Amino acid sequence: RAAALREAGAHGAEAGAAGRERSRPGRLGTERGLTLTSTVLARHGFEPNRETPVCLRMRNCPFQPLARRAPDLVCGMTDRFLTGVVEGLEVPGVSTARVAPRDGGCCVELRGTESAGS
């Protein structure tokens, strides 16, 4: 479990760093950072939904069949992957991914602080 979580975080950080390198966004504010995060996550099979300017919630889980069998592990890996993406993109003012259960769809979201700028 620990190795899987580490790898998920490392893979997310690599994906985020590659997204930053590809787009060369310069200094990012929270809202623009979440937009770039959304782009990177869409490339990796997620369907991010911008619920508010500072909340990005996943509409799906690309690992749904596995998540049904081992939700703690798969959701933990998703959490670490998303956190890694944010770290790799160097997005300020965005909290790490957090599990926020809700009916339907994935239960992981990223939240920014409104005072962190746009």
Side-chain angles (χ1 to χ4, degrees), residues 2 4-6 8-10 12-13 75-85 97:
L5 295 175
R6 261 192 320 276
C75 292
M77 289 174 63
T78 300
D79 174 84
R80 294 287 176 92
F81 178 79
L82 270 62
T83 298
V85 168

Side-chain angles (χ1 to χ4, degrees), residues 47-99:
E47 295 174 3
N49 180 42
R50 193 68 165 273
E51 291 193 339
T52 70
V54 294
C55 179
L56 186 63
R57 186 175 186 83
M58 303 310 110
R59 285 188 286 208
N60 74 322
C61 175
F63 316 107
Q64 187 61 38
L66 292 173
R68 281 190 215 116
R69 293 194 320 225
D72 288 340
L73 176 61
V74 174
C75 292
M77 289 174 63
T78 300
D79 174 84
R80 294 287 176 92
F81 178 79
L82 270 62
T83 298
V85 168
V86 170
E87 290 170 355
L89 285 170
E90 300 174 24
V91 179
V94 175
S95 64
T96 56
R98 69 184 187 113
V99 176

Side-chain angles (χ1 to χ4, degrees), residues 29-31 33-34 37 54 86 91-97 110-113 116:
T30 303
E31 290 182 35
L34 283 173
T37 301
V54 294
V86 170
V91 179
V94 175
S95 64
T96 56
L110 298 168
R111 285 197 170 270
T113 57

